[in-house]
Amino acid sequence: MAYESCGDSLTYKELWEHSDRLAFLLWEVYGEREKDQPVIVYGHKKALMPVCFLACAKAGRAYCPVDVSMPESRIQDIVDTIGNPLILATEEFPLKDCRVIGEEALKIITERTGVRPLTHMEPKDTYYIIFTSGSTGKPKGVEISYENLSRFVDWSVGFFPKGSRIMNQAPFSFDLSVMDTYSALGGGSTIYGLPKEMQKECGETLKFIKDNQIEYIVSTPSFVNMLLVDKSFCADNFRDIKQFLFCGERLTRETARRLLEQFPGVKIINTYGPTESTVAVTSVEITEDMIESGEELPIGIVKEGSQIYIDDEEIIICGDTVSSGYFQDEEKTAKAFFEEKGVRCYRTGDKGYFKGDMLYYAGRKDNQIKLHGYRIELGDIESNLVGIDGITEAAVLPKVKDDTIRSLTAFIVVEHLGECEEMSFQQIKEIKRKLGEKLPNYMIPKKIRAITRMPRNNNGKVDRKRLAMIV
Ligand code: AMP
């Protein structure tokens, strides 16, 4: 079995043959004309999703995964950025006037017999494009080449022995999903896709883990924190679990300690990396000694093929998994990426330091944050707030407790709102609704507070320190 999600399953043979047939169609009908244009693969966790991914690759086309949780205007941004792309939709596609091959047609195509793909990918070809939050209010597409992905998988397969049962928590539009999906496919394991409806209920998720005898959990620490609230989440009840593999945000000592208490002897691996360098480039097994030392947990030792150095506190990643840049955005690409003696390098914006060959994370240099595992540019929310119902200025700040970001607060300046006037509950609800038309749910600030004037520091910039005192 290659993939399974709530009864919707796919063997390796089916995955191979179905993707062959879809690839044939992609090349035969659209191939030459559109070969440089990415294809959008829309949906959630159906078994047709990995079929579409492989089909694109076999047709020599890049794919861009878009999850059902993305709001329409965000999808529209991506469609516009690519420029009227072909869309393979495994769920109903929400936008009108697009070139869509829907679920029924996809099934018919993939179940035809006897055709083979007509082309293949070259190492430098873009394999996938993942869009991530951009500080100016529009998402930016990170291009990952076939070679980037191959070099990442060469390393990541080592975490999962052949035939493992691996849980996929992240939607395919986040690059954390690449860790479970491609490591499993590269190493002959089975992926179990956990749908988002089941993630809302801890009990449902735990049932999924038990029913599918999950051995390897690939997730953000936030996700496991949610499961740890349930005291039945322990080795006695979940005997199959062998390893927790984390990536995407800070792993705290508290989470690691609680995990080892509930699952004595389980392997905890912390990995680190941005989408721009193909999921992760460092790893370390977290030991009891590290937890007891009272110090920050490390993010790991750099994998073969990658090099990391620290420049003015900032982590710079170089090597074979670093992206060529952002899709059709030379300016942003030039700001973050550069070449050094023929090697591709990326300025992460993360602060870090080494102790020997072990790397440690020390926060961000800018206003990018992680909330419940999601990467968010605060500027993305601010840009989308300005313009709604007379909002002239906005600043979004994280609310931090026990070193972890718990929620967001937006401070807004509203036209025609008097000195001591408060906004009504209804007005705030309406702002949140309007913001929800543009941004995914996880980016909507929990609190929205109107202020008469935005505090500024001597440089004329928003005085975030002052605002932080009243969050
Ligand atoms: P993403 O592109 O969504 O994977 O987010 C990448 C960012 O997540 C990195 O630049 C870091 O700021 C943060 N991050 C990823 N892994 C870790 C980790 N193990 N510890 C702390 N922060 C992390």
Side-chain angles (χ1 to χ4, degrees):
M1 197 66 78
Y3 183 85
E4 179 160 344
S5 180
C6 302
D8 185 17
S9 64
L10 199 68
T11 62
Y12 271 89
K13 185 169 190 282
E14 286 166 331
L15 174 59
W16 198 255
E17 291 180 352
H18 291 190
S19 54
D20 268 359
R21 291 163 199 156
L22 184 54
F24 183 83
L25 171 107
L26 286 177
W27 182 258
E28 189 188 40
V29 180
Y30 306 95
E32 275 302 350
R33 249 181 317 136
E34 296 192 11
K35 70 178 178 356
D36 295 327
Q37 201 194 37
V39 175
I40 287 187
V41 178
Y42 178 78
H44 188 51
K45 299 275 169 122
K46 285 199 180 137
L48 259 177
M49 293 294 279
V51 172
C52 293
F53 300 159
L54 291 206
C56 291
K58 288 175 173 186
R61 301 276 295 271
Y63 71 85
C64 168
V66 173
D67 188 70
V68 289
S69 56
M70 213 178 266
E72 286 181 26
S73 78
R74 206 76 167 168
I75 302 175
Q76 187 73 58
D77 286 340
I78 296 176
V79 167
D80 294 344
T81 306
I82 300 178
N84 192 23
L86 183 69
I87 293 152
L88 307 180
T90 67
E91 312 271 348
E92 193 173 339
F93 193 67
L95 304 184
K96 300 242 173 341
D97 303 324
C98 290
R99 296 189 299 140
V100 179
I101 303 182
E103 190 189 4
E104 283 312 307
L106 282 174
K107 278 193 178 148
I108 294 166
I109 298 159
T110 54
E111 281 163 17
R112 280 192 324 202
T113 50
V115 282
R116 292 268 171 274
L118 298 169
T119 188
H120 63 276
M121 274 204 156
E122 298 295 336
K124 297 278 177 224
D125 288 346
T126 302
Y127 191 96
Y128 65 73
I129 299 177
I130 282 185
F131 277 82
T132 153
S133 179
S135 57
T136 49
K138 296 275 181 222
K140 51 188 188 206
V142 181
E143 289 194 75
I144 295 299
S145 70
Y146 181 36
E147 190 174 30
N148 292 152
L149 178 64
S150 303
R151 296 296 80 78
F152 167 72
V153 174
D154 288 347
W155 173 70
S156 69
V157 284
F159 293 114
F160 313 94
K162 186 168 189 231
S164 303
R165 306 170 71 91
I166 306 173
M167 192 177 86
N168 150 270
Q169 172 248 325
F172 292 116
S173 50
F174 288 102
D175 89 331
L176 179 56
S177 68
V178 170
M179 175 86 89
D180 44 73
T181 305
Y182 284 97
S183 307
L185 295 182
S189 294
T190 309
I191 310 147
Y192 291 87
L194 174 68
K196 68 180 168 61
E197 302 77 48
M198 294 186 102
Q199 297 192 26
K200 283 186 198 138
E201 285 287 328
C202 183
E204 292 272 304
T205 302
L206 294 184
K207 187 169 177 314
F208 179 96
I209 294 173
K210 194 174 253 175
D211 289 352
N212 292 300
Q213 297 160 325
I214 299 295
E215 297 170 317
Y216 291 79
I217 295 190
V218 177
S219 77
T220 57
S222 294
F223 175 80
V224 161
N225 275 336
M226 183 192 85
L227 301 183
L228 280 169
V229 172
D230 192 319
K231 288 286 167 273
S232 75
F233 187 52
C234 63
D236 284 346
N237 298 324
F238 295 84
R239 293 179 184 274
D240 297 304
I241 297 183
K242 297 193 170 107
Q243 183 177 302
F244 292 89
L245 197 145
F246 293 115
C247 191
E249 62 181 347
R250 219 174 127 243
L251 173 65
T252 61
R253 267 179 295 136
E254 182 57 15
T255 302
R257 192 184 52 72
R258 278 167 64 204
L259 261 187
L260 282 189
E261 260 170 33
Q262 303 284 91
F263 292 87
V266 82
K267 231 178 172 180
I268 301 178
I269 310 271
N270 193 15
T271 71
Y272 156 86
T275 305
E276 286 84 342
S277 181
T278 326
V279 194
V281 286
T282 68
S283 72
V284 54
E285 182 174 348
I286 301 296
T287 61
E288 252 168 86
D289 285 351
M290 290 176 185
I291 298 169
E292 297 314 324
S293 75
E295 288 174 27
E296 180 82 12
L297 294 178
I299 55 176
I301 291 173
V302 184
K303 77 164 185 61
E304 208 188 302
S306 301
Q307 304 87 45
I308 287 185
Y309 66 88
I310 308 293
D311 177 28
D312 190 17
E313 287 188 289
E314 183 177 11
I315 298 176
I316 313 288
I317 303 177
C318 313
D320 55 18
T321 58
V322 175
S323 152
S324 59
Y326 300 113
F327 182 72
Q328 288 181 358
D329 195 332
E330 279 176 24
E331 202 183 318
K332 285 208 177 89
T333 300
K335 263 191 193 157
F337 295 88
F338 61 99
E339 299 257 325
E340 215 163 52
K341 295 189 189 128
V343 181
R344 195 88 187 134
C345 307
Y346 172 66
R347 283 180 232 283
T348 61
D350 291 323
K351 292 192 281 186
Y353 55 92
F354 278 103
K355 278 190 192 168
D357 53 3
M358 190 64 84
L359 185 62
Y360 289 76
Y361 172 79
R364 289 286 304 176
K365 284 190 85 169
D366 57 13
N367 291 326
Q368 181 184 299
I369 58 137
K370 281 280 169 135
L371 174 64
H372 308 314
Y374 294 110
R375 170 169 163 177
I376 302 174
E377 287 280 1
L378 295 176
D380 197 352
I381 309 175
E382 289 159 1
S383 306
N384 280 290
L385 270 169
V386 172
I388 295 180
D389 285 344
I391 298 175
T392 54
E393 280 187 277
V396 178
L397 275 92
K399 191 175 172 79
V400 184
K401 197 177 154 215
D402 300 333
D403 281 348
T404 305
I405 297 177
R406 308 286 169 168
S407 65
L408 300 176
T409 301
F411 293 93
I412 53 173
V413 178
V414 186
E415 259 174 344
H416 311 305
L417 196 73
E419 191 75 31
C420 299
E421 217 179 318
E422 297 265 332
M423 276 196 313
S424 71
F425 175 72
Q426 272 312 326
Q427 282 170 311
I428 289 174
K429 209 170 139 192
E430 183 58 12
I431 291 174
K432 286 189 180 177
R433 191 189 64 75
K434 290 208 164 129
L435 203 54
E437 288 176 356
K438 299 176 175 182
L439 298 176
N441 265 338
Y442 62 81
M443 287 175 79
I444 313 293
K446 189 170 165 197
K447 278 195 189 152
I448 295 186
R449 293 175 60 173
I451 49 178
T452 338
R453 234 166 285 105
M454 199 52 86
R456 307 237 166 238
N457 59 25
N458 292 340
N459 304 329
K461 286 191 178 170
V462 171
D463 192 343
R464 290 182 175 269
K465 286 200 184 115
R466 231 163 97 196
L467 288 173
M469 289 193 284
I470 48 173
V471 161

